[in-house]
Amino acid sequence: MLNLRKDTDRLLTEFIKSSGLVSEENIKNAEELSKVLMCPLTSALIRSNYVSEDQIADSFCNSYGLTRSKVKLSNIKVRPLQDTITDQFIIKSRIVPVDKTGDKIYVVVADPSALESFNNMQLISGTNLVEASVVNLSEMHEYLEKLKTRMDNDFLKTLDIEAEEENTKPIAQTKSAVSNSNAVISDYLLGENQKKEARFKVSAGSDVIEFVDGIISNAVAMGVSDIHIETFRDASQVRYRKDGVLQAIEEFTEFLTYNYSAIITRLKILANLDISERRLPQDGAIVSQMADKTVDVRVSILPTVNGERAVMRILDPDAANFTLGELGIPEKSLAKIRKVIHSPQGLMLVTGPTGSGKSTTLYAALKEINEPGINILTAEDPVEYDLKGVGQVQVRDSIGLSFAAALRSFLRQDPEVIMVGEIRDKETSDIAIKAALTGHLVLSTLHTNDAASTITRLINMGVPNYLITSALALVLAQRLARKNCPHCTQDDNLVKKETLIDLGFTEEEVQNFKPQKSKGCERCNDTGVKGRMGIHEILALNANLREVILTNATERSIVDTAKKDGFETMQEVGRRFIMEGKISVEEYKRVLVLD
């Protein structure tokens, strides 16, 4: 039975469907069989005689202008380019070199998924002259299985030698250590101080390929939001942003330094960027298939004086699974938000700096009101998470599809709810305000420090006061603060009384509590923090606030008026969290602007 990876099976199934080789009914029957046999859908289709391997190969040839291979993989004794194109690369890419004449390389493939690795083949071999022909799936499967067996045997021999030399670990333990989710990274990074410098230099493209895959998969496993790959005059580094804070990953430094250009090239290939362009910034995206989910990775390449640096934003679908009730918003404030998002019209704005969780809050609000009877449209840059039943538009300023242009088109699409990723200019704010006044619920974000300054920002953008009071229903300002690890929290004796008073605590409050800070333990990986929590302030407009806004009030007077109805600033909420031991004084200072 064919043993195909999920991504290969998915592409093959899509190809078989699009080629019209099988009917929808047969596909459904094969899907049931694949569940029973726990095998790939392609295997089930072939096993049920709904389609033959020859039919797949012939259709593959016709669709891509290829020919059937005259070479039998089983007859190959010595493979060309064996020192450059490794067994590992062949197993992953499903491309097998069978001959080389001059600068031209002849390869065989068995399915469309292999075509995605042609750029890698050209990069590694140093030539663009690659000609492909097609073999049956079974022939490719048998050849790859032989390669895997050979690799396993070589690997076991290596383990035997290392065990004899070191005499420190049983072979079984060593095998276990390299078979976990960090196997790729472990292979390159663990114990490298004892290895020669030459080990780091790339002799095959698969080294770089697996290194890049390992960096991404490791980041996803750790819950990292961003990956920074950067080079300086003397060295290079990888930094992960976790819980809002960047931290250097020292284990990656040496391999990265020796292979920096190849790693950046690999990222460009994955993100469909121009590998020859090194003078201009480029943006792209990678779809990374993990064990049980698909993760989108946004890639930004920026030229610097020391070389190109790459920043990757990881859009893990699990991060969008929060509901409004799970965001840590107090029930009283949550009731105000729910009242607005279940209203037929109005404008709700979520504000805060980059990385403060604005998108998560908006997605949670949309998921709560998303139902078949409501038409929801979003304009985003980028579209971060796929929401079932929601029409999502990717904004592209380069072709004229701005937030304002998308909003104008939305109004002709009969929506009840509109989400605009960000209000950046007067044109977008005008259309959003008018949409909120004409029977639409509009949700959006704005980059301001707090809720009150959001109103003054709209006024400064040229929105008339009377339109703000008529359309704006609620402003939610927020930050994300790292929580103290509950398992190693202790009194923070370094914080002085004067410091607390400067933060806004009263003399009486200072006498009645001790600020807490976690020292670090095994459960928090010695970081002293365990997850993050939201710090929110909710400004719901009422008659008193609208009257103040109409008189061109200052931010201070807006806050004073709102406090009469129980409004709490983020600073007040943060100070309460300090008193409760949830966050440290240091974290409060990091995320909040002082009163």
Side-chain angles (χ1 to χ4, degrees), residues 67-73 75 98 107-108 132-135 139:
T67 58
R68 295 292 290 270
S69 176
K70 297 178 181 179
V71 177
K72 287 287 184 183
L73 286 176
N75 294 336
V98 294
V107 301
V108 296
S133 56
V134 178
V135 296
E139 187 175 348

Side-chain angles (χ1 to χ4, degrees), residues 54 73 231 240 265 312 352 401 440 447 463 485 564:
D54 282 334
L73 286 176
T231 186
Y240 284 169
T265 299
M312 291 177 277
L401 183 56
H440 305 88
H447 283 284
V463 181
C485 173
K564 295 175 182 178

Side-chain angles (χ1 to χ4, degrees), residues 18 46 66 86 95 137 172 174 195 214-215 232 292 307 317 330 390 396 443 446 456 471 475 497 569 575 579:
S18 64
I46 296 171
L66 304 175
T86 64
I95 302 175
L137 290 167
T174 309
K195 297 184 181 180
I215 286 176
F232 307 102
D292 55 350
V390 175
R396 289 185 176 88
L443 311 179
L446 206 61
T456 56
V475 181
K497 174 183 176 182
T569 67
R575 288 196 290 268
M579 295 177 68

Side-chain angles (χ1 to χ4, degrees), residues 117-137:
S117 298
F118 258 57
N119 282 339
N120 298 341
M121 170 71 75
Q122 292 168 352
L123 174 67
I124 297 165
S125 62
T127 178
N128 291 326
L129 301 175
V130 179
E131 184 175 309
S133 56
V134 178
V135 296
N136 277 355
L137 290 167

